[in-house]
Amino acid sequence: MSRVAVVTGGTRGIGAAISVALKNAGYRVAANYAGNDEKAKAFHETTGVPVFKWDVSDYAACGEGIAKVESEIGPVEILVNNAGITRDAMFHKMTPQQWHEVINTNLTGLFNMTHQVWTGMRDRSFGRIINISSINGQKGQMGQANYSAAKAGDLGFTKALAQEGAAKNITVNAICPGYIGTEMVLAVPEKVLNERIIPQIPVGRLGEPEEIARCVTFLASDDAGFITGSTLTANGGQFFV
Ligand code: CAA
């Protein structure tokens, strides 16, 4: 029986590409989403991937969501923590709400989700946790003190948990996408995107969601069993760690 993968934020943007790539690679995929029922329904109809609604910033909801996935599909062996939001503002204009919303989803969401599947992975001596961080967690980004802090936190989480999972054959890795052509990036003011961001990308273009999805299928595979605690950077040469 093929392995079960959960992709948070798996019905739109990078997450949708990840769900489809894992399905095409033979996994049984559950795509989580938080809010947009219409997009989720359309995604399900187009791809056949089952969709499950809960908010990753809510610990209890994550527990219920994972229990539902496990009863309908099977024990989760691969978790892709992809769900993320932006609330961009210069720091002097950033509200506590903008700070907390981003931290709760983009950082605490990793705890809330991973905690639900970790014991099962330990018991079965197999697991793959793949955390979608960001170039902006590596280099920082003006207008994103909240997002950069959360995404940098995701990298610390990845490295700590990799050490705990290693003896149980659970790998924990992060991917840091650069600017990918999704709704999230296209929400950046056009002038900023064209004049400030794209000129900083040596390959001269935004990335494609499928280019990140291929990184995920590799890290999920048996071939990647010796890779843990690592950060795979895919940013068109914009930033070297
Ligand atoms: N790089 C360099 N300069 C920037 C910049 C950037 N990314 N963003 C803004 N600036 C500059 C502006 O050009 C402007 O300079 P001038 O006054 O000389 O024109 C100055 O900073 C102030 O900017 P705004 O007039 O836009 O100020 P604002 O208060 O209206 O908005 C902002 C500020 C919300 C930060 C807005 O500029 C913005 O959204 N910037 C983009 C931030 C960003 O890169 N977000 C990434 C989203 S995608 C993502 O997060 C996915 C991922 O993982 C990569």
Side-chain angles (χ1 to χ4, degrees), residues 14 85-93 106 132-137 139 141-144 147 151 176-180 182-189 191-193 195-197 200 238:
I14 293 174
I85 58 170
T86 53
R87 298 287 183 267
D88 292 359
M90 298 301 259
F91 186 63
H92 60 280
K93 298 184 200 167
N106 298 11
I132 308 301
S133 176
S134 165
I135 183 176
N136 292 343
K139 74 171 184 58
Q141 171 59 50
M142 64 187 297
Q144 288 198 309
Y147 187 92
K151 292 295 186 178
C176 282
Y179 283 74
I180 309 299
T182 61
E183 279 174 43
M184 182 184 274
V185 167
L186 298 175
V188 169
K191 192 166 179 285
V192 172
L193 194 59
E195 293 175 16
R196 303 279 193 168
I197 293 172
Q200 290 173 14
Q238 187 180 349

mmCIF file of all heavy atoms in Angstrom, residues 14 85-93 106 132-137 139 141-144 147 151 176-180 182-189 191-193 195-197 200 238, ligand 1:
data_model
loop_
_atom_site.group_PDB
_atom_site.id
_atom_site.type_symbol
_atom_site.label_atom_id
_atom_site.label_comp_id
_atom_site.label_asym_id
_atom_site.label_seq_id
_atom_site.Cartn_x
_atom_site.Cartn_y
_atom_site.Cartn_z
ATOM 1 N N ILE A 14 1.731 26.934 -4.097
ATOM 2 C CA ILE A 14 2.773 25.902 -4.029
ATOM 3 C C ILE A 14 2.182 24.603 -3.492
ATOM 4 O O ILE A 14 2.500 23.510 -3.973
ATOM 5 C CB ILE A 14 3.951 26.381 -3.137
ATOM 6 C CG1 ILE A 14 4.688 27.554 -3.797
ATOM 7 C CG2 ILE A 14 4.922 25.236 -2.872
ATOM 8 C CD1 ILE A 14 5.772 28.173 -2.915
ATOM 9 N N ILE A 85 0.749 32.324 5.521
ATOM 10 C CA ILE A 85 0.059 33.560 5.156
ATOM 11 C C ILE A 85 1.037 34.722 5.243
ATOM 12 O O ILE A 85 2.090 34.615 5.880
ATOM 13 C CB ILE A 85 -1.134 33.843 6.097
ATOM 14 C CG1 ILE A 85 -0.676 33.947 7.568
ATOM 15 C CG2 ILE A 85 -2.209 32.766 5.948
ATOM 16 C CD1 ILE A 85 -1.764 34.460 8.511
ATOM 17 N N THR A 86 0.685 35.821 4.590
ATOM 18 C CA THR A 86 1.442 37.068 4.780
ATOM 19 C C THR A 86 0.505 38.144 5.320
ATOM 20 O O THR A 86 -0.684 38.158 5.006
ATOM 21 C CB THR A 86 2.035 37.588 3.454
ATOM 22 O OG1 THR A 86 0.998 37.680 2.479
ATOM 23 C CG2 THR A 86 3.141 36.700 2.935
ATOM 24 N N ARG A 87 1.078 39.001 6.130
ATOM 25 C CA ARG A 87 0.409 40.234 6.581
ATOM 26 C C ARG A 87 1.478 41.313 6.525
ATOM 27 O O ARG A 87 1.938 41.805 7.544
ATOM 28 C CB ARG A 87 -0.135 40.086 8.010
ATOM 29 C CG ARG A 87 -1.200 39.020 8.199
ATOM 30 C CD ARG A 87 -2.573 39.414 7.610
ATOM 31 N NE ARG A 87 -3.577 38.389 7.868
ATOM 32 C CZ ARG A 87 -3.869 37.387 7.016
ATOM 33 N NH1 ARG A 87 -3.242 37.293 5.848
ATOM 34 N NH2 ARG A 87 -4.793 36.498 7.314
ATOM 35 N N ASP A 88 1.915 41.644 5.307
ATOM 36 C CA ASP A 88 3.072 42.525 5.153
ATOM 37 C C ASP A 88 2.751 43.958 5.592
ATOM 38 O O ASP A 88 1.705 44.517 5.252
ATOM 39 C CB ASP A 88 3.529 42.567 3.684
ATOM 40 C CG ASP A 88 4.114 41.238 3.197
ATOM 41 O OD1 ASP A 88 4.184 40.287 3.989
ATOM 42 O OD2 ASP A 88 4.505 41.183 2.013
ATOM 43 N N ALA A 89 3.680 44.553 6.298
ATOM 44 C CA ALA A 89 3.598 45.971 6.678
ATOM 45 C C ALA A 89 4.972 46.370 7.194
ATOM 46 O O ALA A 89 5.670 45.554 7.807
ATOM 47 C CB ALA A 89 2.559 46.180 7.781
ATOM 48 N N MET A 90 5.335 47.639 6.936
ATOM 49 C CA MET A 90 6.560 48.120 7.550
ATOM 50 C C MET A 90 6.383 48.007 9.076
ATOM 51 O O MET A 90 5.265 48.165 9.589
ATOM 52 C CB MET A 90 6.818 49.572 7.144
ATOM 53 C CG MET A 90 7.014 49.728 5.626
ATOM 54 S SD MET A 90 8.387 48.773 4.958
ATOM 55 C CE MET A 90 9.600 50.064 4.811
ATOM 56 N N PHE A 91 7.479 47.762 9.778
ATOM 57 C CA PHE A 91 7.370 47.432 11.200
ATOM 58 C C PHE A 91 6.676 48.537 12.002
ATOM 59 O O PHE A 91 5.893 48.262 12.907
ATOM 60 C CB PHE A 91 8.760 47.149 11.788
ATOM 61 C CG PHE A 91 8.709 46.657 13.199
ATOM 62 C CD1 PHE A 91 8.094 45.453 13.510
ATOM 63 C CD2 PHE A 91 9.259 47.403 14.232
ATOM 64 C CE1 PHE A 91 8.023 44.992 14.821
ATOM 65 C CE2 PHE A 91 9.198 46.956 15.539
ATOM 66 C CZ PHE A 91 8.578 45.751 15.835
ATOM 67 N N HIS A 92 6.944 49.799 11.619
ATOM 68 C CA HIS A 92 6.318 50.882 12.391
ATOM 69 C C HIS A 92 4.806 50.937 12.194
ATOM 70 O O HIS A 92 4.109 51.600 12.953
ATOM 71 C CB HIS A 92 6.974 52.234 12.069
ATOM 72 C CG HIS A 92 6.890 52.664 10.629
ATOM 73 N ND1 HIS A 92 7.742 52.165 9.658
ATOM 74 C CD2 HIS A 92 6.055 53.501 10.001
ATOM 75 C CE1 HIS A 92 7.429 52.707 8.495
ATOM 76 N NE2 HIS A 92 6.406 53.519 8.671
ATOM 77 N N LYS A 93 4.322 50.222 11.161
ATOM 78 C CA LYS A 93 2.865 50.187 10.947
ATOM 79 C C LYS A 93 2.267 48.829 11.303
ATOM 80 O O LYS A 93 1.062 48.633 11.196
ATOM 81 C CB LYS A 93 2.554 50.464 9.464
ATOM 82 C CG LYS A 93 2.993 51.820 8.942
ATOM 83 C CD LYS A 93 2.520 51.966 7.485
ATOM 84 C CE LYS A 93 3.296 53.032 6.752
ATOM 85 N NZ LYS A 93 3.077 52.977 5.302
ATOM 86 N N ASN A 106 2.291 30.404 10.542
ATOM 87 C CA ASN A 106 3.524 30.013 9.856
ATOM 88 C C ASN A 106 4.556 29.345 10.763
ATOM 89 O O ASN A 106 5.441 28.653 10.274
ATOM 90 C CB ASN A 106 4.174 31.241 9.209
ATOM 91 C CG ASN A 106 3.291 31.878 8.151
ATOM 92 O OD1 ASN A 106 2.120 31.554 8.025
ATOM 93 N ND2 ASN A 106 3.850 32.797 7.386
ATOM 94 N N ILE A 132 7.936 23.933 4.622
ATOM 95 C CA ILE A 132 8.165 24.957 3.607
ATOM 96 C C ILE A 132 8.438 26.282 4.320
ATOM 97 O O ILE A 132 7.524 26.933 4.843
ATOM 98 C CB ILE A 132 6.961 25.081 2.636
ATOM 99 C CG1 ILE A 132 6.583 23.708 2.054
ATOM 100 C CG2 ILE A 132 7.305 26.084 1.525
ATOM 101 C CD1 ILE A 132 7.675 22.976 1.275
ATOM 102 N N SER A 133 9.710 26.637 4.373
ATOM 103 C CA SER A 133 10.123 27.918 4.958
ATOM 104 C C SER A 133 10.163 28.935 3.818
ATOM 105 O O SER A 133 9.284 28.918 2.945
ATOM 106 C CB SER A 133 11.470 27.746 5.654
ATOM 107 O OG SER A 133 11.944 28.966 6.156
ATOM 108 N N SER A 134 11.167 29.800 3.787
ATOM 109 C CA SER A 134 11.203 30.837 2.746
ATOM 110 C C SER A 134 12.583 31.472 2.693
ATOM 111 O O SER A 134 13.277 31.556 3.711
ATOM 112 C CB SER A 134 10.178 31.924 3.064
ATOM 113 O OG SER A 134 10.407 33.083 2.285
ATOM 114 N N ILE A 135 12.915 31.974 1.530
ATOM 115 C CA ILE A 135 14.118 32.805 1.396
ATOM 116 C C ILE A 135 14.089 33.942 2.428
ATOM 117 O O ILE A 135 15.128 34.340 2.947
ATOM 118 C CB ILE A 135 14.213 33.391 -0.045
ATOM 119 C CG1 ILE A 135 15.493 34.195 -0.220
ATOM 120 C CG2 ILE A 135 13.000 34.251 -0.387
ATOM 121 C CD1 ILE A 135 15.710 34.720 -1.637
ATOM 122 N N ASN A 136 12.888 34.408 2.749
ATOM 123 C CA ASN A 136 12.804 35.560 3.652
ATOM 124 C C ASN A 136 13.010 35.178 5.113
ATOM 125 O O ASN A 136 13.219 36.044 5.951
ATOM 126 C CB ASN A 136 11.497 36.323 3.418
ATOM 127 C CG ASN A 136 11.519 36.983 2.047
ATOM 128 O OD1 ASN A 136 12.590 37.134 1.447
ATOM 129 N ND2 ASN A 136 10.362 37.360 1.533
ATOM 130 N N GLY A 137 12.983 33.869 5.402
ATOM 131 C CA GLY A 137 13.413 33.405 6.718
ATOM 132 C C GLY A 137 14.927 33.316 6.791
ATOM 133 O O GLY A 137 15.514 33.316 7.871
ATOM 134 N N LYS A 139 17.125 35.443 4.761
ATOM 135 C CA LYS A 139 17.787 36.746 4.572
ATOM 136 C C LYS A 139 17.064 37.909 5.243
ATOM 137 O O LYS A 139 17.617 38.988 5.358
ATOM 138 C CB LYS A 139 17.966 37.048 3.076
ATOM 139 C CG LYS A 139 16.691 37.439 2.340
ATOM 140 C CD LYS A 139 16.995 37.930 0.929
ATOM 141 C CE LYS A 139 15.751 38.435 0.195
ATOM 142 N NZ LYS A 139 15.035 39.539 0.858
ATOM 143 N N GLN A 141 13.310 40.238 5.228
ATOM 144 C CA GLN A 141 12.709 41.037 4.157
ATOM 145 C C GLN A 141 11.995 42.239 4.760
ATOM 146 O O GLN A 141 11.179 42.070 5.674
ATOM 147 C CB GLN A 141 11.698 40.187 3.359
ATOM 148 C CG GLN A 141 10.859 40.955 2.363
ATOM 149 C CD GLN A 141 11.700 41.661 1.319
ATOM 150 O OE1 GLN A 141 12.577 41.072 0.699
ATOM 151 N NE2 GLN A 141 11.453 42.961 1.132
ATOM 152 N N MET A 142 12.330 43.416 4.255
ATOM 153 C CA MET A 142 11.610 44.596 4.740
ATOM 154 C C MET A 142 10.121 44.428 4.497
ATOM 155 O O MET A 142 9.702 43.856 3.489
ATOM 156 C CB MET A 142 12.127 45.870 4.094
ATOM 157 C CG MET A 142 11.933 45.952 2.607
ATOM 158 S SD MET A 142 12.756 47.393 1.877
ATOM 159 C CE MET A 142 11.882 48.734 2.665
ATOM 160 N N GLY A 143 9.323 44.875 5.447
ATOM 161 C CA GLY A 143 7.872 44.709 5.352
ATOM 162 C C GLY A 143 7.392 43.370 5.862
ATOM 163 O O GLY A 143 6.193 43.089 5.842
ATOM 164 N N GLN A 144 8.347 42.536 6.325
ATOM 165 C CA GLN A 144 7.967 41.179 6.744
ATOM 166 C C GLN A 144 8.665 40.763 8.046
ATOM 167 O O GLN A 144 9.160 39.641 8.154
ATOM 168 C CB GLN A 144 8.324 40.166 5.658
ATOM 169 C CG GLN A 144 7.437 40.231 4.419
ATOM 170 C CD GLN A 144 7.528 38.959 3.592
ATOM 171 O OE1 GLN A 144 8.627 38.519 3.261
ATOM 172 N NE2 GLN A 144 6.388 38.370 3.266
ATOM 173 N N TYR A 147 6.738 37.671 9.164
ATOM 174 C CA TYR A 147 6.920 36.499 8.284
ATOM 175 C C TYR A 147 8.363 35.986 8.345
ATOM 176 O O TYR A 147 8.609 34.786 8.438
ATOM 177 C CB TYR A 147 6.550 36.931 6.868
ATOM 178 C CG TYR A 147 6.511 35.854 5.812
ATOM 179 C CD1 TYR A 147 5.332 35.170 5.524
ATOM 180 C CD2 TYR A 147 7.643 35.554 5.054
ATOM 181 C CE1 TYR A 147 5.285 34.211 4.521
ATOM 182 C CE2 TYR A 147 7.608 34.594 4.050
ATOM 183 C CZ TYR A 147 6.421 33.924 3.786
ATOM 184 O OH TYR A 147 6.388 32.977 2.786
ATOM 185 N N LYS A 151 9.424 32.284 9.574
ATOM 186 C CA LYS A 151 10.091 31.372 8.636
ATOM 187 C C LYS A 151 11.495 30.999 9.112
ATOM 188 O O LYS A 151 11.963 29.881 8.871
ATOM 189 C CB LYS A 151 10.127 31.995 7.235
ATOM 190 C CG LYS A 151 8.734 32.116 6.587
ATOM 191 C CD LYS A 151 8.123 30.753 6.314
ATOM 192 C CE LYS A 151 6.817 30.832 5.545
ATOM 193 N NZ LYS A 151 6.250 29.510 5.240
ATOM 194 N N CYS A 176 13.470 26.182 1.289
ATOM 195 C CA CYS A 176 13.318 27.634 1.266
ATOM 196 C C CYS A 176 13.086 28.096 -0.162
ATOM 197 O O CYS A 176 14.046 28.341 -0.922
ATOM 198 C CB CYS A 176 14.563 28.320 1.841
ATOM 199 S SG CYS A 176 14.597 28.278 3.634
ATOM 200 N N PRO A 177 11.820 28.232 -0.562
ATOM 201 C CA PRO A 177 11.555 28.784 -1.891
ATOM 202 C C PRO A 177 11.902 30.274 -1.924
ATOM 203 O O PRO A 177 11.788 30.975 -0.919
ATOM 204 C CB PRO A 177 10.038 28.612 -2.070
ATOM 205 C CG PRO A 177 9.598 27.687 -0.985
ATOM 206 C CD PRO A 177 10.577 27.864 0.129
ATOM 207 N N GLY A 178 12.325 30.713 -3.091
ATOM 208 C CA GLY A 178 12.416 32.147 -3.331
ATOM 209 C C GLY A 178 11.056 32.655 -3.761
ATOM 210 O O GLY A 178 10.023 32.132 -3.341
ATOM 211 N N TYR A 179 11.045 33.661 -4.612
ATOM 212 C CA TYR A 179 9.770 34.246 -5.057
ATOM 213 C C TYR A 179 9.194 33.376 -6.179
ATOM 214 O O TYR A 179 9.779 33.248 -7.248
ATOM 215 C CB TYR A 179 9.978 35.700 -5.504
ATOM 216 C CG TYR A 179 10.103 36.642 -4.321
ATOM 217 C CD1 TYR A 179 11.266 36.668 -3.548
ATOM 218 C CD2 TYR A 179 9.045 37.465 -3.954
ATOM 219 C CE1 TYR A 179 11.370 37.504 -2.447
ATOM 220 C CE2 TYR A 179 9.147 38.313 -2.849
ATOM 221 C CZ TYR A 179 10.308 38.326 -2.106
ATOM 222 O OH TYR A 179 10.403 39.148 -1.011
ATOM 223 N N ILE A 180 8.046 32.773 -5.876
ATOM 224 C CA ILE A 180 7.377 31.839 -6.787
ATOM 225 C C ILE A 180 6.101 32.519 -7.296
ATOM 226 O O ILE A 180 5.457 33.264 -6.542
ATOM 227 C CB ILE A 180 7.021 30.525 -6.034
ATOM 228 C CG1 ILE A 180 8.233 29.960 -5.285
ATOM 229 C CG2 ILE A 180 6.444 29.488 -7.003
ATOM 230 C CD1 ILE A 180 9.440 29.582 -6.130
ATOM 231 N N THR A 182 2.948 32.779 -7.382
ATOM 232 C CA THR A 182 1.661 32.399 -6.788
ATOM 233 C C THR A 182 0.892 33.668 -6.438
ATOM 234 O O THR A 182 1.447 34.775 -6.471
ATOM 235 C CB THR A 182 1.876 31.609 -5.487
ATOM 236 O OG1 THR A 182 2.572 32.459 -4.572
ATOM 237 C CG2 THR A 182 2.678 30.346 -5.724
ATOM 238 N N GLU A 183 -0.358 33.481 -6.025
ATOM 239 C CA GLU A 183 -1.187 34.632 -5.610
ATOM 240 C C GLU A 183 -0.493 35.431 -4.509
ATOM 241 O O GLU A 183 -0.593 36.644 -4.459
ATOM 242 C CB GLU A 183 -2.521 34.134 -5.033
ATOM 243 C CG GLU A 183 -3.554 33.767 -6.073
ATOM 244 C CD GLU A 183 -4.784 33.136 -5.425
ATOM 245 O OE1 GLU A 183 -5.258 33.615 -4.380
ATOM 246 O OE2 GLU A 183 -5.263 32.122 -5.980
ATOM 247 N N MET A 184 0.208 34.733 -3.601
ATOM 248 C CA MET A 184 0.852 35.417 -2.476
ATOM 249 C C MET A 184 1.899 36.427 -2.967
ATOM 250 O O MET A 184 1.941 37.565 -2.521
ATOM 251 C CB MET A 184 1.516 34.386 -1.551
ATOM 252 C CG MET A 184 2.169 34.993 -0.329
ATOM 253 S SD MET A 184 3.036 33.771 0.673
ATOM 254 C CE MET A 184 1.730 33.166 1.709
ATOM 255 N N VAL A 185 2.697 35.997 -3.914
ATOM 256 C CA VAL A 185 3.744 36.888 -4.434
ATOM 257 C C VAL A 185 3.128 37.942 -5.350
ATOM 258 O O VAL A 185 3.529 39.115 -5.335
ATOM 259 C CB VAL A 185 4.841 36.071 -5.149
ATOM 260 C CG1 VAL A 185 5.753 36.963 -5.962
ATOM 261 C CG2 VAL A 185 5.651 35.285 -4.129
ATOM 262 N N LEU A 186 2.128 37.549 -6.121
ATOM 263 C CA LEU A 186 1.532 38.513 -7.047
ATOM 264 C C LEU A 186 0.711 39.573 -6.305
ATOM 265 O O LEU A 186 0.316 40.585 -6.893
ATOM 266 C CB LEU A 186 0.707 37.783 -8.118
ATOM 267 C CG LEU A 186 1.594 36.838 -8.982
ATOM 268 C CD1 LEU A 186 0.768 36.026 -9.964
ATOM 269 C CD2 LEU A 186 2.705 37.586 -9.724
ATOM 270 N N ALA A 187 0.505 39.363 -4.971
ATOM 271 C CA ALA A 187 -0.167 40.383 -4.158
ATOM 272 C C ALA A 187 0.796 41.511 -3.776
ATOM 273 O O ALA A 187 0.373 42.566 -3.309
ATOM 274 C CB ALA A 187 -0.744 39.750 -2.898
ATOM 275 N N VAL A 188 2.083 41.293 -3.970
ATOM 276 C CA VAL A 188 3.077 42.352 -3.710
ATOM 277 C C VAL A 188 2.822 43.468 -4.732
ATOM 278 O O VAL A 188 2.567 43.185 -5.908
ATOM 279 C CB VAL A 188 4.518 41.788 -3.871
ATOM 280 C CG1 VAL A 188 5.561 42.896 -3.872
ATOM 281 C CG2 VAL A 188 4.803 40.783 -2.758
ATOM 282 N N PRO A 189 2.862 44.739 -4.284
ATOM 283 C CA PRO A 189 2.610 45.828 -5.230
ATOM 284 C C PRO A 189 3.458 45.652 -6.499
ATOM 285 O O PRO A 189 4.656 45.351 -6.423
ATOM 286 C CB PRO A 189 3.030 47.074 -4.451
ATOM 287 C CG PRO A 189 2.908 46.687 -3.004
ATOM 288 C CD PRO A 189 3.181 45.222 -2.934
ATOM 289 N N LYS A 191 4.774 47.517 -8.681
ATOM 290 C CA LYS A 191 5.986 48.339 -8.820
ATOM 291 C C LYS A 191 7.140 47.722 -7.997
ATOM 292 O O LYS A 191 8.280 47.629 -8.473
ATOM 293 C CB LYS A 191 5.659 49.752 -8.328
ATOM 294 C CG LYS A 191 6.678 50.805 -8.659
ATOM 295 C CD LYS A 191 6.072 52.203 -8.438
ATOM 296 C CE LYS A 191 7.057 53.311 -8.739
ATOM 297 N NZ LYS A 191 8.081 53.510 -7.739
ATOM 298 N N VAL A 192 6.809 47.289 -6.781
ATOM 299 C CA VAL A 192 7.833 46.690 -5.903
ATOM 300 C C VAL A 192 8.335 45.390 -6.526
ATOM 301 O O VAL A 192 9.547 45.126 -6.588
ATOM 302 C CB VAL A 192 7.256 46.446 -4.482
ATOM 303 C CG1 VAL A 192 8.241 45.663 -3.629
ATOM 304 C CG2 VAL A 192 6.890 47.762 -3.811
ATOM 305 N N LEU A 193 7.387 44.592 -7.027
ATOM 306 C CA LEU A 193 7.765 43.295 -7.606
ATOM 307 C C LEU A 193 8.670 43.497 -8.830
ATOM 308 O O LEU A 193 9.737 42.880 -8.944
ATOM 309 C CB LEU A 193 6.485 42.534 -7.997
ATOM 310 C CG LEU A 193 6.624 41.054 -8.312
ATOM 311 C CD1 LEU A 193 7.183 40.286 -7.122
ATOM 312 C CD2 LEU A 193 5.258 40.461 -8.685
ATOM 313 N N GLU A 195 10.287 46.333 -9.906
ATOM 314 C CA GLU A 195 11.471 47.200 -9.815
ATOM 315 C C GLU A 195 12.439 46.774 -8.713
ATOM 316 O O GLU A 195 13.628 47.074 -8.785
ATOM 317 C CB GLU A 195 11.028 48.653 -9.597
ATOM 318 C CG GLU A 195 10.306 49.211 -10.828
ATOM 319 C CD GLU A 195 9.755 50.612 -10.606
ATOM 320 O OE1 GLU A 195 10.172 51.290 -9.642
ATOM 321 O OE2 GLU A 195 8.884 51.016 -11.410
ATOM 322 N N ARG A 196 11.928 46.101 -7.676
ATOM 323 C CA ARG A 196 12.792 45.792 -6.541
ATOM 324 C C ARG A 196 13.096 44.302 -6.420
ATOM 325 O O ARG A 196 14.171 43.941 -5.990
ATOM 326 C CB ARG A 196 12.120 46.227 -5.221
ATOM 327 C CG ARG A 196 11.738 47.678 -5.158
ATOM 328 C CD ARG A 196 12.922 48.526 -4.804
ATOM 329 N NE ARG A 196 12.521 49.874 -4.444
ATOM 330 C CZ ARG A 196 13.306 50.764 -3.889
ATOM 331 N NH1 ARG A 196 14.559 50.459 -3.622
ATOM 332 N NH2 ARG A 196 12.885 51.963 -3.627
ATOM 333 N N ILE A 197 12.131 43.463 -6.722
ATOM 334 C CA ILE A 197 12.326 42.042 -6.413
ATOM 335 C C ILE A 197 12.861 41.263 -7.616
ATOM 336 O O ILE A 197 13.940 40.656 -7.542
ATOM 337 C CB ILE A 197 11.020 41.426 -5.852
ATOM 338 C CG1 ILE A 197 10.736 42.059 -4.478
ATOM 339 C CG2 ILE A 197 11.140 39.902 -5.726
ATOM 340 C CD1 ILE A 197 9.415 41.717 -3.855
ATOM 341 N N GLN A 200 16.408 41.320 -8.570
ATOM 342 C CA GLN A 200 17.356 40.668 -7.640
ATOM 343 C C GLN A 200 17.480 39.169 -7.886
ATOM 344 O O GLN A 200 18.231 38.480 -7.183
ATOM 345 C CB GLN A 200 16.889 40.850 -6.194
ATOM 346 C CG GLN A 200 16.989 42.267 -5.667
ATOM 347 C CD GLN A 200 16.340 42.383 -4.279
ATOM 348 O OE1 GLN A 200 16.044 41.385 -3.615
ATOM 349 N NE2 GLN A 200 16.121 43.603 -3.845
ATOM 350 N N GLN A 238 18.885 34.029 -5.921
ATOM 351 C CA GLN A 238 18.693 35.340 -5.278
ATOM 352 C C GLN A 238 19.479 35.495 -3.986
ATOM 353 O O GLN A 238 19.872 36.604 -3.611
ATOM 354 C CB GLN A 238 17.193 35.554 -5.008
ATOM 355 C CG GLN A 238 16.869 36.951 -4.506
ATOM 356 C CD GLN A 238 15.388 37.156 -4.231
ATOM 357 O OE1 GLN A 238 14.551 36.319 -4.608
ATOM 358 N NE2 GLN A 238 15.051 38.242 -3.592
HETATM 359 N N1 CAA B 1 12.811 45.780 -1.616
HETATM 360 C C1 CAA B 1 13.301 47.024 -1.677
HETATM 361 N N2 CAA B 1 12.572 48.121 -1.422
HETATM 362 C C2 CAA B 1 11.290 47.959 -1.094
HETATM 363 C C3 CAA B 1 10.698 46.683 -1.020
HETATM 364 C C4 CAA B 1 11.512 45.581 -1.301
HETATM 365 N N3 CAA B 1 11.038 44.330 -1.261
HETATM 366 N N4 CAA B 1 9.403 46.832 -0.633
HETATM 367 C C5 CAA B 1 9.202 48.149 -0.509
HETATM 368 N N5 CAA B 1 10.325 48.839 -0.797
HETATM 369 C C6 CAA B 1 10.497 50.279 -0.788
HETATM 370 C C7 CAA B 1 9.498 50.933 -1.701
HETATM 371 O O1 CAA B 1 9.922 50.922 -3.042
HETATM 372 C C8 CAA B 1 9.428 52.325 -1.105
HETATM 373 O O2 CAA B 1 10.588 53.041 -1.491
HETATM 374 P P1 CAA B 1 10.426 54.477 -2.163
HETATM 375 O O3 CAA B 1 9.735 55.306 -1.124
HETATM 376 O O4 CAA B 1 11.851 54.862 -2.434
HETATM 377 O O5 CAA B 1 9.611 54.226 -3.395
HETATM 378 C C9 CAA B 1 9.550 52.064 0.392
HETATM 379 O O6 CAA B 1 10.168 50.779 0.524
HETATM 380 C C10 CAA B 1 8.215 52.008 1.080
HETATM 381 O O7 CAA B 1 7.414 51.072 0.387
HETATM 382 P P2 CAA B 1 5.881 51.299 0.106
HETATM 383 O O8 CAA B 1 5.617 52.662 -0.481
HETATM 384 O O9 CAA B 1 5.396 50.124 -0.674
HETATM 385 O O10 CAA B 1 5.308 51.340 1.599
HETATM 386 P P3 CAA B 1 3.961 50.792 2.099
HETATM 387 O O11 CAA B 1 3.909 51.082 3.564
HETATM 388 O O12 CAA B 1 2.828 51.224 1.223
HETATM 389 O O13 CAA B 1 4.075 49.174 1.903
HETATM 390 C C11 CAA B 1 5.074 47.037 2.086
HETATM 391 C C12 CAA B 1 5.162 48.515 2.473
HETATM 392 C C13 CAA B 1 3.786 46.431 2.668
HETATM 393 C C14 CAA B 1 6.267 46.369 2.760
HETATM 394 C C15 CAA B 1 5.057 46.834 0.574
HETATM 395 O O14 CAA B 1 6.078 47.595 -0.016
HETATM 396 C C16 CAA B 1 5.300 45.408 0.186
HETATM 397 O O15 CAA B 1 4.363 44.600 0.205
HETATM 398 N N6 CAA B 1 6.563 45.043 -0.147
HETATM 399 C C17 CAA B 1 6.930 43.701 -0.512
HETATM 400 C C18 CAA B 1 7.333 42.895 0.716
HETATM 401 C C19 CAA B 1 7.672 41.497 0.239
HETATM 402 O O16 CAA B 1 8.683 41.270 -0.421
HETATM 403 N N7 CAA B 1 6.800 40.527 0.572
HETATM 404 C C20 CAA B 1 6.981 39.196 0.102
HETATM 405 C C21 CAA B 1 5.639 38.594 -0.171
HETATM 406 S S1 CAA B 1 5.784 37.047 -0.996
HETATM 407 C C22 CAA B 1 6.230 35.978 0.184
HETATM 408 O O17 CAA B 1 6.286 36.264 1.350
HETATM 409 C C23 CAA B 1 6.563 34.590 -0.284
HETATM 410 C C24 CAA B 1 7.976 34.258 0.002
HETATM 411 O O18 CAA B 1 8.203 33.449 0.913
HETATM 412 C C25 CAA B 1 9.057 34.814 -0.816
#
